Amino acid sequence: MVIPCDPSLRARLIAVSQEEAMPDLLIRGARIWNSYTGEVLPGDIAVCADRIAKVGPWNGTLATDTVLIEADGRVAVPGYIEPHTHPWPFANPLSLGEAAVCRGTTCLVYDELMLHLAMGTQRLLEATRAMSAASLPHIFWVARIASQSRFKGEEAFFSHGEIHRLVDAEHFIGTGEMTRWADLLDPVRSSDLLVILEEVRRVNKINDGHFAGASPRRLAALANAGIHSCHEAINPDEVLDRLRQGLWVLLRNSSLREDLVALLPALDRTAFHDRIAYTTDGAGESHIAATGLIEHLIGQALRSGVAPNLAYRMATLNPASSLGLNQDIGAVVAGRIANINLLADMGHPMPEMVICRGRLVARDGALLVEAPSAVFPWEATYAGSEPQIPEWGPELFVLPTDAPNPFPAGRLVNAAITREVATPLQACTGGLWPSEGLLLAASNRGGDWISRGVVHNFGEELAAVASTYTTNAGFLVLGRTPQAMAEALSRLRSMGGGITVCSRDGVWSNFPLTMAGIHGREDFAVAARRAASFQSVFKACGYPHSDPKYTLLFLTCDMLPDVRATEAGWIRVKTGEVLYPAQRLTPIRPR
């Protein structure tokens, strides 16, 4: 895949490189790191439009309107690349990109699953194309080929034709995050998926994987499926297992799993490092505000003793090559897009100045240009994608008398993983209720069914929570009483989507997500404060894990152990067994 460059611009670049024409921008007096050779050489960087025309001493003339940036000996490195992340939930996708570019990340690849489920293919195409066109840094997208929570009609929703429409678009870089990787090894379920993956390969786009828990034998089988990369290594052995299969390995460090330092020893166990890159994999807004993005990961690598050439290559040329974009980004050389970070020195990866697409956009972590997120037509772009939250009375949340007793509840052992535990049920008005823990109820965006379960270790001071921020893009309610759950759902409905939380002392905290029930509209600084407040509310309710947004997100998925709520019902993930079936409903649509 390439980022197009008009031949007329190519002609200008050729002329400027020979000093036969004048550049639009000149960075003078830099020390320029070459991501191909590792050299740091003094020189100037001449830029035409959004491309680098010349790297080296500039002896030609300058126009009166040539923008001059005095580097004063700063080190020029390529803009950093985030090859796999998720724009969720408090910051809108453009403001996340703006926060990233202030920290030197000039290209990001976004997952689209929840937006796709909320909008459908055509609206998703329109919305993502508009956001990529408006974005300050480069934003590309990957298309899911399967959900993370099976639903009726899924095969048609993710059909070959629908995925082709997405992947054929210029702002989609391929397919992403195949979490339900066991389907690729199933002769029945894999047939349509393999057709999609092969078509993506034929148009030179990528197929990104998510192979949590896969053994070396299964990794070999998955490589045969046409998968390109994986970000799920959690120790050095797993890094090597993936490299041995020819997979690209993205070393993850997020607010859910801060794995990077533990993974870096793998670098000493392989002679080659050109298929390794970093990812923040959807770090939360408050985590980004406190620590950073890719520049933080470079810093961690440097502090762990990784050689600077390798530490920076894993943030620049390596991910560019992984994405198939290395003809256009990932290096400060002639012909590449002028995404350039000016650093005090190689030991300090946070840039003092950021040039993105040929213009100076940030200095000392602050944006110098108008934020596209502030003027983007959010309402028009997201109109019609609001969740259709029904009105449910308390009686609907009670477990019917045919529920298994004891009930196979899920105890959260961290933000994402549950372990099955037997929980006695006791009689209550209209049915049964767990003797401890929270009752869970999940549904799709229109309330067509209800799947019930029981969850422990979510927070002893939590009375109720309701959320439209779920991996199935539906809604989720948890509570200690049917009445508290009904009120939480009612509040969620009145907000139009988001997250509402009630403590045992009756204090409600609301976090509206006004765009499809998935994103907030605020700029990144406001979003980071909201994210921090969100975490504080849950911590005050006794939430004991790393990040509650991941818990809300993953309770409806079907690929993490042990028990989850899906359209089929409360399931045991490993075997697919339905422990307690969902109940089909005639939904009451909101007025």
Side-chain angles (χ1 to χ4, degrees), residues 464-467 488-489 491-492 495 498-502 508-511:
V465 57
S467 174
L489 185 64
R491 287 173 176 266
L492 191 68
M495 284 196 302
I499 303 167
T500 184
V501 187
C502 184
W508 289 90
S509 301
N510 297 323
F511 301 91

Side-chain angles (χ1 to χ4, degrees), residues 101-102 104 106 340-341 351-356 359-363:
V101 83
C102 287
T106 55
I340 302 164
N341 292 330
E352 294 186 351
M353 287 184 272
V354 180
I355 293 89
C356 183
R359 61 176 180 153
L360 180 65
V361 298
R363 185 190 298 269

Side-chain angles (χ1 to χ4, degrees), residues 497-555:
I499 303 167
T500 184
V501 187
C502 184
S503 64
R504 276 190 187 259
D505 58 8
V507 176
W508 289 90
S509 301
N510 297 323
F511 301 91
L513 301 176
T514 56
M515 300 193 305
I518 295 168
H519 295 305
R521 269 205 54 180
E522 291 78 8
D523 66 31
F524 189 83
V526 174
R529 291 194 293 272
R530 291 186 70 215
S533 174
F534 170 78
Q535 296 226 38
S536 295
V537 166
F538 273 87
K539 185 176 180 180
C541 289
Y543 179 81
H545 311 297
S546 60
D547 192 334
K549 78 170 183 292
Y550 289 108
T551 304
L552 296 175
L553 183 70
F554 291 137
L555 280 171

Side-chain angles (χ1 to χ4, degrees), residues 68-107:
L68 184 63
I69 298 175
E70 297 289 356
D72 294 325
R74 293 180 177 88
V75 177
V77 302
Y80 309 139
I81 299 167
E82 169 52 90
H84 171 83
T85 194
H86 306 266
W88 58 35
F90 298 105
N92 65 68
L94 293 183
S95 69
L96 174 58
E98 291 151 11
V101 83
C102 287
R103 294 160 171 80
T105 295
T106 55
C107 177

Side-chain angles (χ1 to χ4, degrees), residues 143-197:
R144 296 291 189 106
I145 62 174
S147 76
Q148 288 186 177
S149 187
R150 294 190 196 276
F151 61 90
K152 185 177 180 181
E154 178 177 351
E155 292 76 11
F157 190 91
F158 293 101
S159 70
H160 172 267
E162 294 298 286
I163 302 304
H164 175 79
R165 292 175 64 198
L166 296 174
V167 174
D168 195 47
E170 71 287 348
H171 60 294
F172 272 78
I173 207 160
T175 71
E177 190 125 17
M178 182 54 185
T179 56
R180 202 189 295 151
W181 55 262
D183 283 8
L184 295 173
L185 310 182
D186 183 318
V188 175
R189 286 180 167 159
S190 66
S191 57
D192 290 341
L193 298 173
L194 294 176
V195 169
I196 293 171
L197 295 177

Side-chain angles (χ1 to χ4, degrees), residues 399 403-410 420-425 434 452-454 570 579-580:
L399 280 165
N405 195 359
F407 193 88
E420 187 176 332
V421 293
T423 297
L425 303 178
R452 302 178 183 89
V454 177
W570 187 245
L579 301 172
Y580 189 64

Side-chain angles (χ1 to χ4, degrees), residues 193-509:
L193 298 173
L194 294 176
V195 169
I196 293 171
L197 295 177
E198 184 58 24
E199 180 167 301
V200 172
R201 282 179 9 94
R202 287 177 179 171
V203 296
N204 288 318
K205 295 191 176 184
I206 67 168
N207 291 312
D208 173 50
H210 175 115
F211 302 147
S215 66
R217 179 173 65 87
R218 293 187 181 276
L219 286 173
L222 291 164
N224 278 318
I227 296 293
H228 173 86
S229 60
C230 179
H231 61 275
E232 280 296 317
I234 60 173
N235 58 54
D237 288 339
E238 292 193 355
V239 172
L240 269 292
D241 288 340
R242 285 154 174 76
L243 289 175
R244 289 174 184 133
Q245 298 299 337
L247 294 168
W248 285 87
V249 180
L250 308 183
L251 305 181
R252 176 177 55 194
N253 204 79
S254 77
S255 52
L256 177 63
R257 294 192 59 103
E258 297 194 75
D259 290 331
L260 180 61
V261 171
L263 297 174
L264 290 173
L267 300 178
D268 296 327
R269 296 172 56 186
T270 174
F272 307 114
H273 304 104
D274 56 338
R275 296 181 74 82
I276 304 173
Y278 308 107
T279 180
T280 59
D281 191 21
E285 296 90 344
S286 56
H287 186 270
I288 293 169
T291 63
L293 278 161
I294 299 298
E295 86 289 356
H296 172 60
L297 275 57
I298 300 170
Q300 283 191 309
L302 293 171
R303 289 189 294 273
S304 297
V306 176
N309 279 330
L310 178 54
Y312 280 91
R313 213 169 190 267
M314 291 193 297
T316 56
L317 187 59
N318 283 11
S321 299
S322 171
L323 299 170
L325 295 172
N326 52 306
Q327 294 185 62
D328 295 292
I329 61 175
V332 182
V333 297
R336 302 301 192 271
I337 291 175
N339 294 334
I340 302 164
N341 292 330
L342 295 178
L343 314 178
D345 55 62
M346 295 284 279
H348 295 85
M350 177 66 182
E352 294 186 351
M353 287 184 272
V354 180
I355 293 89
C356 183
R357 306 201 207 198
R359 61 176 180 153
L360 180 65
V361 298
R363 185 190 298 269
D364 297 326
L367 206 60
L368 299 178
V369 297
E370 182 179 48
S373 63
V375 296
F376 189 79
W378 294 113
E379 287 83 359
T381 302
Y382 278 72
S385 58
E386 301 83 2
Q388 301 298 299
I389 302 169
E391 297 180 270
W392 286 352
E395 68 283 352
L396 198 56
F397 295 103
V398 176
L399 280 165
T401 55
D402 65 351
N405 195 359
F407 193 88
R411 178 178 176 80
L412 285 164
V413 296
N414 58 39
I417 304 300
T418 65
R419 296 300 180 204
E420 187 176 332
V421 293
T423 297
L425 303 178
Q426 56 195 19
C428 72
T429 302
L432 300 171
W433 197 260
S435 59
E436 57 179 317
L438 298 166
L439 191 110
L440 173 150
S443 190
N444 63 353
R445 292 178 74 77
D448 299 297
W449 45 268
I450 181 171
S451 181
R452 302 178 183 89
V454 177
V455 176
H456 296 308
N457 202 29
F458 203 146
E460 290 306 310
E461 297 304 311
L462 185 71
V465 57
S467 174
T468 53
Y469 182 71
T470 69
T471 196
N472 74 337
F475 63 88
L476 177 73
V477 189
L478 298 102
R480 297 194 184 276
T481 68
Q483 293 76 22
M485 294 178 73
E487 183 172 355
L489 185 64
S490 177
R491 287 173 176 266
L492 191 68
R493 181 174 179 270
S494 66
M495 284 196 302
I499 303 167
T500 184
V501 187
C502 184
S503 64
R504 276 190 187 259
D505 58 8
V507 176
W508 289 90
S509 301

